[in-house]
Amino acid sequence: MFASLRWTITVLCLLALAPSAASQHQVDGFQPTEGTLGTSIRVDGTGFGDPGPGTKRPILRLAHLDGSKPLKQKVDGFNDVTVYAEVRKLKQLGEYQVLVSAPPWNALTLPGTFTIRPPVLTHSTLDYYLSGMPVVLEGEFLGGRKPRVWIGGRKARVTEWYQDPLSPQ
């Protein structure tokens, strides 16, 4: 009788301390809605937790619409209302569901999809090229990491690169 009463009290105490997922964790949306490797994704909502000792980082995953296993992305930073993550792992081009979770809550699937786009060159100074001349390549969805470039089958030395930051939508 005594052991049974003790167990019942423990369960009731745990239920009283468990946070309500509906009132504590909410996701409003994310931006941008398209990009490539190296793209920074910003997720807005509430209940992600404040960084500090003992706080677990939120987890952001991208799940391709083909039903394959969601891929965990790198969370660069977070606060109670925003999560910043960088796209680091992909299986293929296409549309991905965005899932975010902030422990102890389960993952929430965000409305809409994030589309992985292939790189597109929009401008180059490669019309006339001599060895040693600087070449400028401009485009969209080129990624946030140092690129590898080949000209005429030979690897070229990349001296400078950058990706435009997020613009408000």
Side-chain angles (χ1 to χ4, degrees):
M1 174 86 176
F2 182 75
S4 175
L5 180 62
R6 187 175 191 189
W7 179 82
T8 304
I9 291 171
T10 303
V11 170
L12 291 176
C13 289
L14 288 174
L15 290 175
L17 294 175
S20 166
S23 64
Q24 299 289 325
H25 189 212
Q26 174 183 333
V27 178
D28 299 327
F30 66 95
Q31 64 176 321
T33 58
E34 59 184 8
T36 189
L37 282 173
T39 300
S40 294
I41 298 177
R42 174 185 166 159
V43 178
D44 296 312
T46 58
F48 298 124
D50 288 316
T55 302
K56 292 186 177 181
R57 296 177 79 80
I59 299 167
L60 187 130
R61 289 184 172 91
L62 294 178
H64 195 272
L65 295 184
D66 68 1
S68 57
K69 181 179 175 183
L71 298 172
K72 188 175 177 181
Q73 305 302 314
K74 181 179 185 278
V75 172
D76 292 326
F78 71 99
N79 57 41
D80 193 51
V81 296
T82 309
V83 175
Y84 299 95
E86 179 184 344
V87 177
R88 289 241 177 132
K89 297 177 186 174
L90 296 173
K91 287 189 181 282
Q92 59 194 10
L93 299 175
E95 294 186 43
Y96 287 78
Q97 286 291 140
V98 179
L99 300 97
V100 67
S101 61
W105 299 283
N106 292 332
L108 296 175
T109 301
L110 280 66
T113 57
F114 181 80
T115 305
I116 300 298
R117 301 282 186 200
V120 176
L121 287 179
T122 58
H123 174 76
S124 76
T125 59
L126 199 54
D127 296 335
Y128 179 75
Y129 175 74
L130 295 175
S131 181
M133 287 178 52
V135 173
V136 177
L137 303 173
E138 295 176 358
E140 297 175 347
F141 310 112
L142 299 178
R145 295 190 179 181
K146 184 176 181 177
R148 293 178 289 195
V149 178
W150 286 266
I151 299 174
R154 300 186 74 174
K155 189 171 181 178
R157 184 171 62 102
V158 176
T159 57
E160 183 180 349
W161 75 98
Y162 67 92
Q163 181 176 355
D164 289 336
L166 287 176
S167 57
Q169 293 185 5

